[in-house]
Amino acid sequence: MSTVQTRGPDWVGNAPDIVLPAAGKTVRRRPSLFDVVSIGVVAALAFLALYPLARIAIRLFFTGEGGGAAALAVYGQPGTWVVISNTVIVVAASGMLSLAIGSALAWINERTDARIGVLTDIVPLLPFLVPPIAGAIGWVLLLSDRAGFVNAVLRWALGLFGVEMTRGPLNIYTWGGLIFVYTVYAVPYVYLVVSAGLRNVDSALEEQSRICGNGLLRTMAKVTIPAVRPALGGAALLIVWFGFSLFSVPAIIGTGAKIEVLPVRLVRLVTFTYPPDMAGAIGLGLVVLLAVGTAWMLQLKVLSKGRFATVSGKGSRTVTIELGAWRPVARSVIVLYMLISAVLPLVALLLVALNGFWTPTIRWTALNFNTFREILFEDGLTLTALSNSLSLGIAGATIGIVAAAVLSLFVQRHGSAAARAVDGLIKLPASVSSIVLALGFVLAFSGAPFNLNGTFLILLMAYLALYMPQASVAADSAAAQVGRELTEASRICGASGGRTFMRVSLPLMLGGLAAGWALLFVRMISDLTASSILAGTQNPVVGFRILEIYEGASFAGLAALSSLLTVISCLVVGLVLVFSRRRGRGTPRSAS
């Protein structure tokens, strides 16, 4: 092949000759070792995403074990349709509430002068740091109709006015209580998506609307909401995915309220039924797939109409709305959400753990750390579960975020339709219920030829598949900040793909990857969806151990373990983010 050789500019130094193809010629570069490793990582991630789902499809349609008929027979069992309707009601009601609350918090944060510094950015994300299982237990301790702390305070206050009550007035074990806790943990998903959508809309459009005489509410209805409609559609999809997958909250609160929902029924069919009713679980899983698929199709329909969001250019500016007398009200909403989502549940957990038992009458002088000491030094099973969860969280988050970074750079570098298709396949689990995917792992890896049932490895693989979509999104955002010019310059200077990744791409992506690592770590150490199906006595983890303690009604141990899990999550996330911020101030080292 004829080529034209040229020398690089003087600033390149001793860089090798650059070989450019002659006109009409193409260059076929041999794949480097880093390319081979990247392809291997991509293939492994695609395998974890697709193989469990393929095994479900094979079991449902192509086996001789009754196949689809056995799976569909579950719909004729007593109570099945009640469970389905319960799930739809809870997800729909909490979804509408979380859309309103999350969007309001995003608007206050992005458009008004009610911000409270960095606290405004952190508050809507607090539920991510308080695991749902811990938050659910915290609200049981607060709002149980007899011994709940909040109810005790309310009864005391009512007694001052001559109203005597022995229970209530509030009760967490109701439809309202279940929907309330669902809403608390769905709000962050809405906030993240809608706040990003608001940042992409030029606020000058809203200012022009107000200049033309439209009030604040009319401007929101005619300009702001239509502009972020795609973001609202994405948030609704996340809510449906989250609601139809959440197990911990309905297992704690729904069971007490005698409101059974699909995730709880699915886990019971697989874990608490002997022999496990896999066909029935797969049959109910179809409802989850149908719900998530319907939400996804509606989102695509919204996006296909287009002409909603106006993405601003470099000259855009954010116009801050002065709320005036309403500013304290808006700030009160932020503080109230902080109390509800994190502070009150954590305080309830700590009080019960330090008191040694659950009672609305706290012995303040007798508070001690005996329960924590028993968990950390005397309860061997709980200590093993905590150690396993921390190991899984560290290993899974590290492997997941590095693999996601390699995948993002691979897609960015190649940009082909095949690369984008693989990226979509790895994000596929985000559109599938976590419960359904966990069932797929049981079918795929528990038996021959892998025989991983009850092992540490099957949990790690399941966590990677379940949370890789979130890791991929975080890595995509970080990779977008690394221009191709830097990586191309590194390769021109003779650096290999692996050296370019370690010395150029990774340092520049560190801030975004650290945030993604923290999110993965928190979700993995507190996971209950996969753990409820895949964990057991041979590989106990914290989420499953919390359920066991809850069934034994040991509220002090339950509160201690839940609060310990929350404190660990907050400390690790805080340390990681501080580290990434300090490293982000530096500059990447030379790739030569």
Side-chain angles (χ1 to χ4, degrees), residues 57 164 497:
E164 299 295 334

Side-chain angles (χ1 to χ4, degrees), residues 465-506:
L466 285 171
Y467 300 110
M468 187 52 64
Q470 292 93 316
S472 180
V473 170
D476 287 346
S477 301
Q481 298 175 346
V482 182
R484 290 188 177 184
E485 296 84 358
L486 293 175
T487 55
E488 289 174 357
S490 176
R491 289 194 293 271
I492 288 173
C493 292
S496 64
R499 190 175 180 83
T500 299
F501 175 76
M502 295 299 299
R503 304 291 289 272
V504 178
S505 301
L506 189 58

Side-chain angles (χ1 to χ4, degrees), residues 15 48 92 119 124 139 191 230 298 311 333 372 391 415 419 465 525 590:
L48 287 179
L119 182 64
W139 277 107
Y191 172 82
L298 291 175
V311 181
V333 170
F372 289 99
S391 300
I525 67 169
S590 170

Side-chain angles (χ1 to χ4, degrees), residues 111 198-205 207-208 310-320:
R111 288 290 189 266
L198 285 171
R199 284 192 296 270
N200 286 333
V201 176
D202 193 344
S203 59
L205 297 175
E207 184 182 29
Q208 292 168 7
T310 303
V311 181
S312 58
K314 293 183 179 179
S316 65
R317 61 191 179 94
T318 300
V319 179
T320 300

Side-chain angles (χ1 to χ4, degrees), residues 453-478:
N453 185 42
T455 65
F456 190 90
L457 182 57
I458 193 172
L459 274 171
L460 178 60
M461 292 166 60
Y463 288 171
L464 288 174
L466 285 171
Y467 300 110
M468 187 52 64
Q470 292 93 316
S472 180
V473 170
D476 287 346
S477 301

Side-chain angles (χ1 to χ4, degrees), residues 373-384 545 549:
R373 185 172 61 251
E374 292 175 2
I375 286 179
L376 293 175
F377 302 106
E378 299 178 13
D379 188 345
L381 184 58
T382 300
L383 186 60
T384 300
R545 181 62 182 148
I549 297 175

Side-chain angles (χ1 to χ4, degrees), residues 414-464:
H414 291 273
S416 62
R420 291 193 296 270
V422 171
D423 185 44
L425 289 177
I426 292 169
K427 291 183 172 68
L428 179 64
S431 63
V432 180
S433 168
S434 302
I435 292 288
V436 175
L437 193 62
L439 291 176
F441 267 84
V442 173
L443 293 175
F445 300 107
S446 292
F450 300 100
N451 297 315
L452 297 178
N453 185 42
T455 65
F456 190 90
L457 182 57
I458 193 172
L459 274 171
L460 178 60
M461 292 166 60
Y463 288 171
L464 288 174

